[in-house]
Amino acid sequence: MHISEGFLSPQVLAAGWVAAGVGTAIGLKKLDPDKIVRVAVFSSVFFLASLINVPIGPSSTHLSLLAPMGLVLGWSVFPAVLVALLLQTVLLQFGGLLVLGVNTVNMALPGLIVYLLFSSRVRRGNAASSFAAGFLAIMLGALGVGTALSLSDPEMAGAAKVVFAAHLPLALVEGAVTFFMAGFLKKAAPDILN
Amino acid sequence: MKNNERKKISSPLGVAGAVFGLIIGLAMELISAAGPFVESKAAWAHGTGYRQSDKKPISLEFSYSTGEAMSYREAKVFSPRDEKFAFQSGRTDEDGRFAFTPNAAGQWRVVVKDEEGHLAEAKIQVAREFLDDSEKAAEKVAAGSATANTTIIEKTAIPGGMDLVLRSVLGVSLLFNIAAFTSLARRRKGGGS
């Protein structure tokens, strides 16, 4: 779900940077020093997850773990995603430096939204909520990518729908993964989901 | 006599005028014929034909970081002579390949885009020898006396294999270093206040 350099208009790129900047600032402000290691762990997982292919039907994609990251980190998901994407751009040539802002918003905002919507219910052990969080995070991410593309170039509006539909299988997989991870964390480390 | 002289004078003038007129007329006809011919060769053609080109093409393969081919994606080639309008445009084939035949030395650019926001750009430096001796070079290669590598391909390559592993490890280690520094900075701030 990385948008490459050369697709987006300057306005969209700038808006992405503003939103990413605000999110990261709030995330850093709310960051509890004792939870910095937790942020680093999830940032690393996000950084590495993009390298592991998961075959889905004729195509293959990679897990993003947006929902688990959002549910555990809350607002700190912004700095975690920003740093992970920056390292992916510099070290692995994914995405680009100009589009980093937009890509950060597309990945971090869904995590934050599912945190705000579902975190209390997931903490109480509501399995349906964990699945919904995983599913929704991916669909929101795809929506963000589609919106950024079609805002930059109205001709891409059709493609935006394709992006949205193409992410349905991944959303189901991430829903299931989030369901299992939430169940595991509840048992193994209940204090992590706060 | 005056009349005669006039006639004598006027008749060579008349001949010259006629010849001049004829030349101008012919020239006009040629220009008017060549004009549209230059503008639109197709309109003046009365048939089509083909032959096997002796020019050597450059063939590229485009893939995603997952290793999957970028098949049937929009591809555009930009010549060093014209950076704005594509020299050639089309789509990659089933296996993500796209080939073009350069007609000028310099840096060529091939851009392949998909509909989900992925873009691959290849930059190819085409040497003059590649164009001049494409036929001879091919023969030399066939005879085993030269390498065909007259082009330098500098693609923004996605790392793979061991390089990828090392870069990933470096990334994770950097992440934890950043975390450690942030943590240290916070602790100091917290201790000071």
Side-chain angles (χ1 to χ4, degrees):
Chain A
M1 284 207 264
H2 296 78
I3 299 179
S4 302
E5 221 71 274
F7 274 93
L8 302 180
S9 65
Q11 292 92 325
V12 174
L13 291 173
W17 270 113
V18 170
V22 170
T24 307
I26 297 175
L28 284 176
K29 197 146 203 191
K30 292 202 170 200
L31 182 60
D32 180 349
D34 296 331
K35 289 178 186 159
I36 286 175
V37 174
R38 202 175 284 180
V39 176
V41 169
F42 271 89
S43 195
S44 305
V45 168
F46 179 77
F47 172 79
L48 293 174
S50 63
L51 301 173
I52 301 161
N53 292 322
V54 181
I56 296 177
S59 155
S60 73
T61 185
H62 56 77
L63 293 178
S64 61
L65 303 172
L66 296 182
M69 184 164 61
L71 288 171
V72 172
L73 299 183
W75 276 94
S76 308
V77 72
F78 265 95
V81 167
L82 179 66
V83 175
L85 286 179
L86 174 67
L87 290 177
Q88 282 188 345
T89 303
V90 175
L91 294 173
L92 308 175
Q93 311 274 6
F94 295 168
L97 286 175
L98 287 175
V99 293
L100 186 60
V102 172
N103 282 337
T104 301
V105 174
N106 285 341
M107 301 292 102
L109 197 56
L112 179 66
I113 290 172
V114 299
Y115 166 77
L116 296 174
L117 287 179
F118 297 110
S119 83
S120 61
R121 263 172 282 176
V122 169
R123 217 179 305 141
R124 272 184 267 127
N126 187 328
S129 293
S130 331
F131 181 85
F135 183 85
L136 188 69
I138 297 300
M139 294 323 282
L140 286 172
L143 185 70
V145 171
T147 308
L149 289 174
S150 46
L151 276 179
S152 297
D153 182 359
E155 275 177 39
M156 298 282 283
K161 285 176 199 151
V162 175
V163 175
F164 198 70
H167 280 87
L168 264 171
L170 178 66
L172 291 171
V173 172
E174 290 251 345
V177 169
T178 310
F179 166 75
F180 285 115
M181 275 184 90
F184 173 75
L185 286 175
K186 179 131 179 67
K187 270 184 216 154
D191 63 306
I192 238 178
L193 287 169
N194 53 359
Chain B
M1 276 301 281
K2 273 189 178 174
N3 272 345
N4 264 348
E5 270 181 34
R6 230 177 245 165
K7 267 183 188 172
K8 270 182 187 170
I9 295 162
S10 72
S11 71
L13 258 178
V15 172
V19 170
F20 185 67
L22 203 67
I23 290 167
I24 291 289
L26 268 170
M28 293 275 275
E29 238 177 70
L30 273 171
I31 289 165
S32 63
F37 187 76
V38 168
E39 275 167 15
S40 160
K41 286 172 193 166
W44 283 73
H46 292 288
T48 55
Y50 62 86
R51 65 191 175 89
Q52 189 169 0
S53 171
D54 52 16
K55 296 280 180 279
K56 204 163 58 167
I58 291 172
S59 179
L60 302 168
E61 250 176 56
F62 292 89
S63 58
Y64 290 107
S65 55
T66 54
E68 221 177 316
M70 291 182 82
S71 14
Y72 310 122
R73 298 307 184 190
E74 186 194 304
K76 277 191 174 139
V77 181
F78 294 92
S79 149
R81 286 178 186 161
D82 189 344
E83 266 293 302
K84 270 194 183 154
F85 293 97
F87 170 80
Q88 181 187 353
S89 69
R91 276 180 188 276
T92 56
D93 69 8
E94 189 184 352
D95 304 318
R97 287 191 199 98
F98 191 80
F100 70 102
T101 312
N103 62 357
Q107 196 183 75
W108 288 72
R109 234 159 32 90
V110 183
V111 180
V112 174
K113 274 185 183 182
D114 72 5
E115 284 145 355
E116 297 175 26
H118 299 106
L119 178 147
E121 186 185 63
K123 285 178 183 162
I124 299 131
Q125 193 65 38
V126 174
R128 182 142 297 284
E129 304 86 67
F130 182 85
L131 303 166
D132 295 344
D133 304 320
S134 63
E135 208 177 342
K136 282 181 212 160
E139 278 166 18
K140 274 185 194 168
V141 171
S145 62
T147 53
N149 214 3
T150 42
T151 61
I152 308 152
I153 298 178
E154 25 168 297
K155 186 176 169 271
T156 48
I158 288 159
M162 201 52 211
D163 188 28
L164 182 64
V165 174
L166 284 174
R167 278 164 188 268
S168 313
V169 171
L170 176 64
V172 173
S173 118
L174 276 173
L175 268 166
F176 277 92
N177 275 302
I178 292 167
F181 275 110
T182 316
S183 180
L184 212 69
R186 283 286 164 103
R187 289 264 155 80
R188 268 196 200 152
K189 225 194 211 168
S193 66

